[in-house]
Structure formats: C-alpha cells, structure tokens
Amino acid sequence: MSVAPSDGRLSLRRYGAQAAGHAHDHVQVLWACRGVLSLRIDRRALDLAPGTACVIPAQAWHGYAAARGSVCLVLDTRAAIASKLQARLLDARPLGGLLRWLEQAAGTPRAEALLQSARPLLQTCLDDAGQASMAPPRVRRAIDWAALQGWVDARLDLPLRVADLAARVHLSPTQFTVRCIEEQGLPAAAWLRQRRVLKAQELRRQGWSAERAALACGYASASALIAATRRAQ
C-alpha cells in the first residue's frame, strides 16, 4: 500500500528475518507499527520498536532485519530534515493510534486515500521535532471529551467541520486530529461521523422516524442516514 505525493513516497512495508542492506540518495523515515526492526546505520545499531521512529540520512548505508517480523510506515523523501534527528531513535508514541489505524486499513479500498491524508500529520510531527529545543516540554492542553461530545451532539443538525471542533478546544485542526487519533482511536472526521450515526440510532430507539432523525443529525435524507449506518458497521 503506497502513495506518491510530489515530494516523497509513503508506504507500509513488512520486514522479515533475512538480513539485507543498502544505501540510497534520499532520506528515509521509518515509524514502527509492529514488531522490532534491527537497524545498523553506518556503524550505529538501533532497535526500532512500536512507539519509536528513525530518520536514515541520504547516502547512509544501512542494514536491517526483523527476527520475528516487523511492519513499518516508511517515508522516502528528498525534503530537508534536521540533521539532529538523523540516525537516532525518536519518540513516536503520540502517533501510536494513527499507525495502528493505518496498518489495520491496509488492503481496504480506502487504504491509499488514508495514507495520503496521514502524510501532513506525519510531516508536521517531523517539523515539530526538528524545531524542538532543550527547553522543558510544554504541558499539553487537556481535552474534555465528554463536554466536547455534548457540544457536538447538540449541534449535529449543523454542517460542523473538524475546524469547528478544533476551535472549540483551542487547537489547530491538525493538532486536534492527532489528539483525536491518540485519545479516541479515530481521526477527527471519523469521530464526528460516528457521533452523527450514534445520535441518530439513539433517536430512532426513542421512536423518531428515520427522516426526522436523519435531519436532526445532519443528513439530507433517511437514505443518507441508512447508507452512513451501513458504512459504520
């Protein structure tokens, strides 16, 4: 499963126990999804496990093998990446939910589109890591998911966007999507669609007609609600 935007190629790759090695003229970024990938970049040995990532510099010879198998999300790019991020393990724990979601989506009809949609988030995380200083980490703003759900559920008849939800919790749309994946296990747009479907199902159980429940939850018609419910199953 792969997608090739203008400045790089993003793909899910599986590695086995057979050792191999090479060098290439572009930078490579690996995020571990499952298993442990043993790397040797020039003379430096690293074990890439879930929750970590690694940047392999251009022209650097690297060997790799996974004794028990490994799955990694790999970005091949010619974009400039801070040298201080190269050839060492990086903290990728905030992306854990996103990586699991992408791996589970592999082989589905939407796999390519999902990879493409994930790329800006991955690039943002790399950019943030490259700009980070030795200053103490900032405390992240907590999201009151119960309060946000109540606010959303009261406005499902409106054309809510991810940007509206992000503004409600004082985050950018990209930041909110990353947090939603990490804390709710779904991208923000998928979480919003889930709220619409669940609320419509609740109204139907209360005796509302399909048409009335659909309109109350932001669907144009009962048939649109039925189609959305089927996709969610």
Side-chain angles (χ1 to χ4, degrees):
M1 139 174 165
S2 66
V3 63
S6 59
D7 61 346
R9 176 174 180 268
L10 188 63
S11 60
L12 271 174
R13 303 183 194 175
R14 301 180 184 276
Y15 299 91
Q18 184 174 357
H22 55 219
H24 33 64
D25 61 0
H26 58 269
V27 175
Q28 196 170 68
V29 188
L30 291 84
W31 291 269
C33 298
R34 179 160 46 88
V36 178
L37 180 64
S38 296
L39 292 167
R40 182 171 289 277
I41 305 173
D42 290 331
R43 297 185 178 181
R44 184 168 187 175
L46 301 171
D47 285 332
L48 192 66
T52 62
C54 181
V55 177
I56 300 175
Q59 308 296 341
W61 185 92
H62 51 285
Y64 52 90
R68 297 185 178 181
S70 174
V71 178
C72 295
L73 186 64
V74 181
L75 172 66
D76 295 301
T77 179
R78 298 183 187 279
I81 295 178
S83 59
K84 66 180 179 180
L85 299 181
Q86 298 180 5
R88 67 181 182 87
L89 291 179
L90 307 175
D91 184 3
R93 287 173 296 180
L95 294 171
L98 172 63
L99 297 175
R100 287 190 297 272
W101 179 63
L102 290 174
E103 184 187 359
Q104 291 168 2
T108 67
R110 298 185 61 209
E112 298 294 336
L114 295 177
L115 266 183
Q116 184 171 359
S117 68
R119 195 183 189 290
L121 300 180
L122 297 170
Q123 187 62 57
T124 296
C125 290
L126 276 178
D127 293 343
D128 288 347
Q131 295 169 7
S133 67
M134 297 304 293
R138 293 178 297 175
V139 177
R140 292 201 303 177
R141 184 188 298 273
I143 297 177
D144 186 338
W145 289 100
L148 180 61
Q149 177 178 315
W151 184 85
V152 168
D153 286 0
R155 294 164 175 80
L156 288 176
D157 59 323
L158 302 176
L160 291 174
R161 303 168 301 158
V162 170
D164 299 322
L165 278 62
R168 182 68 182 175
V169 294
H170 309 290
L171 295 173
S172 72
T174 297
Q175 290 172 326
F176 178 70
T177 296
V178 171
R179 293 286 297 278
C180 196
I181 292 169
E182 179 183 351
E183 299 178 21
Q184 298 296 311
L186 289 171
W191 184 82
L192 180 56
R193 289 194 298 269
Q194 182 187 71
R195 292 309 316 152
R196 293 189 189 281
V197 170
L198 292 176
K199 184 63 176 180
Q201 291 174 336
E202 178 185 337
L203 295 177
R204 292 285 287 141
R205 287 193 295 270
Q206 294 176 7
W208 287 40
S209 69
E211 191 71 24
R212 185 184 176 198
L215 295 176
C217 295
Y219 297 102
S221 64
S223 59
L225 170 58
I226 292 170
T229 302
R230 288 174 177 170
R231 287 194 299 268
Q233 292 175 345

